[in-house]
């Protein structure tokens, strides 16, 4: 079964600070995604990537940057963290072997911005 | 406006009972519909994908239906186990790839008690 590893699992940051969330997959999947999950809401797409070197804006990219330095790694960067970015962040990778892309999610990173 | 509505919001059943979770959506086009299971503090795990105009799938004790005319899906869990306690999330995709828009429901929280 494909595995997606996120780090850290929990993070407390101060307003205005820089935060980097990391995601690693060794499944050789081209597509990777960053979502955030807030209570009472569905997951929302922040950034995604087609492969190494590519990053694309999702539905809610404001305040976030992304970096895909390699096939395996996809980072989400908050240059100036704000309390509204307190959330649980999920990384996913996608397998195009099937007609409908299979998604594999990490366990999430719980971020609190004080 | 939320395009994927799940009901009930939460549900408590006794171990061994059956239950049905509902998903209504207004997403257009509706290429496919996925059901995920999310254990507390964990990532989403795919249960099934429904694609056809009127589709049915079965995966062990989980079975699902999709009616694209009614824009409605159900997830049936038979003979529930304590380990079925989780949030079940309905997701509608407008393309075969997650690179297309994925619309996430807020989930149904299922609690299975002894």
């Amino acid at each position: 079964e494909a595995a997606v590893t996120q780090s850290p699992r929990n993070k407390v940051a101060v307003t205005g600070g820089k935060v980097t969330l990391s995601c690693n997959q060794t499944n050789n999947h081209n597509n990777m995604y960053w979502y955030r999950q807030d209570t009472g809401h569905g997951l929302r797409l922040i950034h995604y990537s087609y492969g190494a070197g590519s990053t694309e804006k999702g539905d809610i990219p404001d305040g976030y940057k992304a970096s895909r330095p390699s096939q395996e790694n996809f980072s989400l960067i908050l240059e100036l963290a704000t309390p509204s970015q307190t959330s649980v962040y999920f990384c996913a990778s996608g397998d195009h072997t099937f007609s409908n892309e299979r998604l594999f999610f990490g366990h999430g990173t719980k971020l609190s911005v004080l | 406006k939320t395009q994927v509505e799940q009901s009930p919001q939460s549900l408590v059943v006794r171990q061994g009972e059956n239950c049905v979770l509902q998903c209504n959506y207004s997403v257009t086009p509706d290429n496919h519909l996925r059901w995920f299971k999310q254990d507390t503090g964990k990532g989403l795990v795919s249960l099934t994908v429904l694609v056809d105009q009127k589709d049915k799938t079965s995966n062990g004790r989980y079975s699902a239906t999709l009616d694209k005319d009614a824009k409605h899906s159900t997830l049936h869990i038979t003979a529930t186990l304590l380990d079925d306690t989780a949030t079940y999330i309905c997701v509608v995709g407008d393309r075969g790839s997650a690179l297309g828009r994925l619309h996430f429901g807020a989930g149904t929280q299922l609690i299975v008690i002894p």
Side-chain angles (χ1 to χ4, degrees):
Chain A
E1 183 75 1
V4 177
T5 304
Q6 292 183 232
S7 62
R9 292 296 301 272
N10 293 280
K11 174 73 177 179
V12 178
V14 295
T15 298
K18 182 177 181 179
V19 177
T20 299
L21 307 183
S22 300
C23 179
N24 175 272
Q25 55 98 2
T26 56
N27 312 304
N28 200 33
H29 291 167
N30 288 330
N31 301 338
M32 295 186 74
Y33 309 86
W34 276 107
Y35 294 92
R36 63 178 282 175
Q37 185 179 40
D38 301 293
T39 302
H41 297 276
L43 272 71
R44 292 179 290 172
L45 181 64
I46 305 169
H47 284 287
Y48 60 96
S49 169
Y50 296 104
S54 95
T55 61
E56 305 291 336
K57 294 180 179 180
D59 298 324
I60 53 165
D62 293 345
Y64 303 93
K65 292 184 180 179
S67 174
R68 183 86 181 270
S70 64
Q71 182 79 339
E72 295 80 18
N73 295 296
F74 189 36
S75 298
L76 185 68
I77 302 151
L78 291 66
E79 295 279 3
L80 294 170
T82 66
S84 65
Q85 293 175 314
T86 293
S87 187
V88 180
Y89 292 86
F90 287 95
C91 176
S93 70
D95 176 6
H96 257 296
T97 305
F98 302 90
S99 58
N100 284 292
E101 183 181 11
R102 295 177 66 189
L103 287 178
F104 299 89
F105 284 83
H107 282 196
T109 294
K110 186 174 182 180
L111 173 65
S112 298
V113 182
L114 306 178
Chain B
K1 183 179 184 294
T2 302
Q3 296 193 60
V4 179
E5 299 277 1
Q6 292 188 241
S7 62
Q9 192 171 8
S10 63
L11 180 62
V12 179
V13 299
R14 291 201 177 275
Q15 183 177 352
E17 292 180 343
N18 303 332
C19 64
V20 181
L21 283 57
Q22 312 281 348
C23 178
N24 289 287
Y25 63 91
S26 57
V27 177
T28 299
D30 48 351
N31 174 275
H32 67 276
L33 186 145
R34 311 171 189 233
W35 283 95
F36 287 90
K37 178 185 180 186
Q38 184 180 25
D39 291 316
T40 301
K42 300 284 183 65
L44 283 67
V45 176
S46 180
L47 294 175
T48 191
V49 179
L50 301 116
V51 178
D52 295 335
Q53 196 71 17
K54 292 193 191 300
D55 204 355
K56 289 183 180 181
T57 62
S58 182
N59 178 10
R61 294 180 299 102
Y62 299 101
S63 61
T65 65
L66 172 62
D67 182 343
K68 288 189 177 180
D69 292 331
K71 292 191 179 292
H72 177 70
S73 176
T74 60
L75 178 68
H76 297 247
I77 307 176
T78 303
T80 53
L81 303 173
L82 297 178
D83 283 348
D84 292 331
T85 294
T87 298
Y88 292 82
I89 297 175
C90 172
V91 184
V92 180
D94 63 10
R95 289 198 294 172
S97 164
L99 293 173
R101 192 81 179 277
L102 286 184
H103 302 261
F104 288 79
T108 291
Q109 185 181 20
L110 174 66
I111 299 172
V112 181
I113 60 174

